[in-house]
Amino acid sequence: MQKLYVAMVGLPARGKSTLARRIRDGLMAEDIQARLFNNGDLRRSLMGAESTNPDFYNPNNAAGREAREMICRRNMDLARNWLAEGGEVAILDATNVSRARRRMIESTLTDYPVLFVECVNEDQLLLTACIRRKTTLPEYAAYSEEEALQSFMKRIGYYETIYEPLEDEKFWLCVDSTANRILAERPCEGSPFYPAIREIVVSAWVHCLYLVRHGQTEFNVRGRIGGDPPLTAKGRAQAEALAQHMRQKEIDWVFTSTRLRSHETAAPLLAERPAAHIMAFKEFNEIWAGDCEGMLYSEIREKMPQVTAGRNANKFSYAYPNGESYAMLGERVQRGLRRALFLAGDTPLVIVGHQAINRVLLSLFLRQRSEDVPYIYIPQNQYYHISLTPRRKVFERVAYQDDNR
C-alpha cells in the first residue's frame, strides 16, 4: 500500500503550520488517515525554555545543532512508526530550510516517498504581523514584547543564513502561502494522495468569518457618499447590539478599514476581548468617490447628471470622476481578504467593512455575476457568517438587531 511523508519547508512566520494543518484536515475529510508531527512541539516538551534562546538556532552552536538534529530524527521515528501502524500520510512540520537537512530526511525515510512543501511569503506587512504574533506565544511569557521580538528576529536571522530553496529534492511543491498559489513543483506522480494535496494547497479556507457592515452614520441618513463620518446614536446602538449578540462567540481577530465608522463599530466587540488582535487595512476602505466624495446623491443628479447616467448604465464598471468603480475594487479587496485569512489562520475573524467593500467580498464567495455585485444587500443590522472548508459549507445572513430600533 502506497503511503506518503509530507515535509514542510520554509523560514519562520511563513504559514507552514497553518498549511500543514489544512493538509491534514483536508485529507482526513477525504477519509485519508493523516497526522502532524511538529518539531517545535516536541522541542518545547523536551527542552522547555532553554530552546527559546535564539542562540540555540545558531548554526555554529554545536550543542544546539545536535539537539535540533535529535528532535528531527525522533519526530521522523514517530512518523515512520505511525505509518507502520496504519497511518497513510505523515506530515513533518518544521523549517527544514537547508538542503543538508532535507537530504538527511530523504535518506532516512526510504520506506515511502517524501514530498517537500515549501511556503513562501514576501508580503512585508504580513511578515511583520506574523512575527509580532509569534512573540505572544507561551514560550515568550518571561520576555517583554520588545525582547521577544528581538529574540525571534535573531532566530530568523540564523535560519536565513542556511536557507536554500527547494530544487534538487525528488518531489516538491513551492507555494505562495498568502495567495494559495503553486509557484513551482516537481510532481509526486503515482501517489494517490498528491492530487488531493495540490487541491488543498490552492484552496482558500475560511473556518469562521463574520462579515459586518459598519453602523449607521449621518451620511447614511442624509444620502451622502463616502467621507469619514462618525456613527449616529442609532449606529452606536447597532455596534453595542452586535457586541451583545456575539458575546459568547469566539473571535480572535478583528479587521477594520481605516475609517472612523469602521473603528467605532468594532470598538464594543474589542472592549470585551482584550486578547483579540486588531488590524486596520486600507484595502477595506469604502469605494473612493473621487470628485463626488461627500456629495449628496441628489446633488450629483442635479449638478453631474452624466455621473448618474453613467452609473445607471453600468454601475459595476463606471468609475466616479477621479475615483473608483466596483471593477477597480477587486484587486485591493482580494488582497485585504488574503491578508486577513492568512493572519487569522484557522481562528474566527470579523471584518468590519463598508457597503461596496462587503459586496465585493461576498461576490468572491458567491461567484456572483459582475453586473449584479452592486446590488447585493448589505444591511446595517445583520452580518454574514461564512465557513467554507472540505467538511463544512455555511453561508448565512444573521440579524442581530430589530431594524426599527
Side-chain angles (χ1 to χ4, degrees):
M1 179 182 179
Q2 184 69 289
K3 302 187 181 187
L4 184 68
Y5 295 100
V6 175
M8 307 304 293
V9 175
L11 293 167
R14 264 62 177 185
K16 295 185 303 300
S17 292
T18 296
L19 183 56
R21 288 192 297 270
R22 289 180 180 175
I23 292 172
R24 176 198 62 193
D25 294 347
L27 292 175
M28 291 182 67
E30 300 295 328
D31 294 323
I32 297 167
Q33 295 303 305
R35 181 175 292 184
L36 283 180
F37 298 87
N38 183 283
N39 280 17
D41 290 343
L42 186 59
R43 167 181 61 79
R44 284 183 285 272
S45 68
L46 292 177
M47 312 199 69
E50 173 191 347
S51 63
T52 302
N53 188 313
D55 289 325
F56 178 80
Y57 303 90
N58 186 339
N60 297 320
N61 177 350
R65 189 172 62 248
E66 290 172 7
R68 287 182 282 113
E69 182 96 349
M70 176 272 292
I71 290 165
C72 176
R73 288 187 178 277
R74 183 171 296 190
N75 238 357
M76 285 194 292
D77 288 341
L78 292 171
R80 181 164 45 199
N81 292 339
W82 180 75
L83 289 183
E85 293 168 0
E88 294 177 281
V89 179
I91 304 165
L92 302 168
D93 185 10
T95 54
N96 298 322
V97 292
S98 72
R99 287 208 180 97
R101 164 65 66 82
R102 298 194 295 267
R103 280 196 297 268
M104 184 268 282
I105 292 173
E106 286 185 312
S107 63
T108 303
L109 301 176
T110 56
D111 47 341
Y112 299 111
V114 178
L115 170 66
F116 292 99
V117 178
E118 180 177 13
C119 290
V120 176
N121 171 16
E122 300 304 329
D123 187 320
Q124 195 56 51
L125 183 148
L126 290 183
L127 278 176
T128 300
C130 286
I131 290 168
R132 285 202 170 273
R133 183 175 60 179
K134 293 281 191 181
T135 63
T136 65
L137 294 175
E139 64 181 303
Y140 286 108
Y143 291 64
S144 70
E145 183 178 349
E146 195 55 38
E147 289 171 341
L149 181 62
Q150 291 177 4
S151 174
F152 195 72
M153 290 298 296
K154 189 174 181 181
R155 182 194 301 192
I156 292 175
Y158 284 136
Y159 277 119
E160 287 175 334
T161 64
I162 59 171
Y163 175 46
E164 298 168 284
L166 292 171
E167 183 178 4
D168 298 332
E169 292 73 18
K170 189 173 182 180
F171 304 120
W172 54 267
L173 279 171
C174 181
V175 180
D176 181 340
S177 53
T178 66
N180 307 308
R181 181 179 298 126
I182 294 174
L183 302 176
E185 65 178 319
R186 184 168 289 169
C188 189
E189 295 169 347
S191 169
F193 311 117
Y194 187 69
I197 291 172
R198 291 179 87 251
E199 182 180 26
I200 293 165
V201 163
V202 301
S203 299
W205 287 40
V206 183
H207 280 268
C208 184
L209 166 63
Y210 300 103
L211 184 59
V212 177
R213 182 183 174 190
H214 64 77
Q216 185 194 73
T217 70
E218 191 64 36
F219 276 30
N220 295 146
V221 175
R222 299 185 62 192
R224 289 193 182 276
I225 299 178
D228 195 17
L231 298 182
T232 62
K234 180 176 180 178
R236 291 192 295 275
Q238 288 169 333
E240 292 290 346
L242 175 68
Q244 175 67 27
H245 174 86
M246 291 192 160
R247 183 157 287 163
Q248 303 304 319
K249 297 184 185 297
E250 180 186 355
I251 296 172
D252 291 353
W253 283 85
V254 177
F255 297 92
T256 70
S257 74
T258 65
R259 301 304 185 198
L260 178 61
R261 55 197 184 275
S262 178
H263 287 264
E264 288 186 337
T265 302
L269 273 175
L270 291 164
E272 298 183 359
R273 296 173 172 84
H277 305 277
I278 171 72
M279 288 197 73
F281 285 167
K282 63 182 179 181
E283 284 85 356
F284 294 147
N285 285 355
E286 180 61 298
I287 189 170
W288 177 245
D291 296 346
C292 298
E293 275 285 311
M295 292 181 67
L296 294 166
Y297 283 108
S298 58
E299 288 181 301
I300 297 172
R301 285 193 297 271
E302 179 182 341
K303 299 177 181 179
M304 307 173 73
Q306 73 281 6
V307 172
T308 301
R311 294 199 83 223
N312 287 342
N314 189 342
K315 193 174 180 181
F316 181 78
S317 298
Y318 183 84
Y320 287 103
N322 296 310
E324 291 180 304
S325 66
Y326 274 89
M328 295 164 67
L329 292 179
E331 183 177 346
R332 73 168 167 97
V333 171
Q334 285 191 60
R335 181 171 62 249
L337 179 63
R338 285 199 304 268
R339 284 175 164 177
L341 293 177
F342 180 85
L343 288 171
D346 299 333
T347 64
L349 69 152
V350 173
I351 297 176
V352 183
H354 302 258
Q355 180 167 252
I357 298 307
N358 287 8
R359 283 170 171 165
V360 174
L361 283 168
L362 287 173
S363 74
L364 299 176
F365 299 108
L366 293 170
R367 309 216 184 280
Q368 198 89 2
R369 292 186 308 175
S370 59
E371 61 264 36
D372 297 334
V373 171
Y375 304 102
I376 297 175
Y377 183 41
I378 309 291
Q380 288 177 308
N381 66 325
Q382 302 178 40
Y383 62 84
Y384 285 87
H385 174 220
I386 302 168
S387 180
L388 300 174
T389 72
R391 289 185 171 183
R392 183 173 167 83
K393 310 289 182 186
V394 174
F395 193 100
E396 58 182 347
R397 192 171 73 228
V398 181
Y400 60 85
Q401 186 188 53
D402 189 313
D403 198 29
N404 295 319
R405 293 179 62 186

